[in-house]
Amino acid sequence: NHVWVPMELNHPPDYYNVRLVGELLVNGQEMIFPQFELGIIDSGTTLLILSSTAFSMLADYMSKTFCDIPGLCGPTSWFQSAGCIMIDGRTLDKFPTLTFQLQGYNIELGARDYMIRVTNSSQPAYWCLGIMASDLPIGVDVIFGITIMRKYIIVYDIEQSQLGFAESLGTCGLGKTIV
């Protein structure tokens, strides 16, 4: 079953906009950004993109709060826009959950959702941050790209101006057939 959230369309429609109704939560801790009000759902964008200000604040918070993750704290932190690191599964499980609050639905991303495995070798593996910073269009604070679509199935209902969200079975994009 999908949970439907209102979609705001521009005229002419160019993006699938969703209203953010709260701040980004990191393991339930609210991050206060100067502005965090509008997101775009975009299947043509690969990563989860935060405004440069929001990403910088998130990176600063991560590097001060999660120092038990190797290489995360300090001036040479790997937590940079699309940064990569070689880590094992136990270390990956120490990463926080990120929660984006939409009007009527929360997008929750664990480390295995926002970190992208780029090697098929055994542990440790090479993982890259599926989040990047960018100067976004005016008024846009986050673009939800393929990073979230690995976890969520999204239905675009333009006629009713709504988006449907449902968690996938976890087999999307892995070359398996869902019957």
Side-chain angles (χ1 to χ4, degrees):
N1 283 340
H2 285 81
V3 175
W4 296 96
V5 301
M7 174 175 51
E8 298 176 9
L9 290 173
N10 305 15
H11 295 289
D14 53 357
Y15 297 113
Y16 302 106
N17 300 325
V18 291
R19 189 64 45 196
L20 303 171
V21 295
E23 300 292 338
L24 171 65
L25 304 176
V26 180
N27 271 359
Q29 180 68 39
E30 193 173 64
M31 299 283 309
I32 305 296
F33 298 129
Q35 181 166 342
F36 205 66
E37 299 174 1
L38 187 67
I40 293 174
I41 307 295
D42 184 18
S43 61
T45 299
T46 303
L47 302 178
L48 173 68
I49 301 176
L50 295 175
S51 69
S52 297
T53 301
F55 183 87
S56 178
M57 292 175 73
L58 174 62
D60 185 57
Y61 179 79
M62 294 285 287
S63 70
K64 290 179 179 173
T65 310
F66 298 98
C67 291
D68 56 335
I69 299 172
L72 187 60
C73 294
T76 58
S77 173
W78 61 264
F79 197 94
Q80 300 171 26
S81 189
C84 300
I85 186 172
M86 185 168 282
I87 53 174
D88 61 30
R90 281 178 293 191
T91 302
L92 189 65
D93 292 337
K94 294 178 182 180
F95 286 54
T97 298
L98 305 179
T99 304
F100 295 86
Q101 302 173 85
L102 307 181
Q103 192 173 356
Y105 193 72
N106 287 345
I107 295 173
E108 292 187 8
L109 301 175
R112 295 175 192 274
D113 302 316
Y114 64 82
M115 295 294 291
I116 300 169
R117 187 178 179 138
V118 293
T119 58
N120 287 328
S121 63
S122 60
Q123 294 290 334
Y126 200 56
W127 294 80
C128 294
L129 183 62
I131 306 170
M132 71 177 280
S134 182
D135 293 327
L136 298 176
I138 293 182
V140 176
D141 304 299
V142 59
I143 298 177
F144 298 101
I146 300 300
T147 297
I148 71 157
M149 294 174 197
R150 296 175 349 154
K151 180 175 182 178
Y152 294 98
I153 296 169
I154 301 170
V155 176
Y156 299 81
D157 182 352
I158 297 170
E159 204 170 278
Q160 299 296 316
S161 295
Q162 62 185 358
L163 293 165
F165 287 84
E167 264 191 70
S168 74
L169 297 175
T171 54
C172 291
L174 300 177
K176 298 179 182 177
T177 303
I178 302 172
V179 180

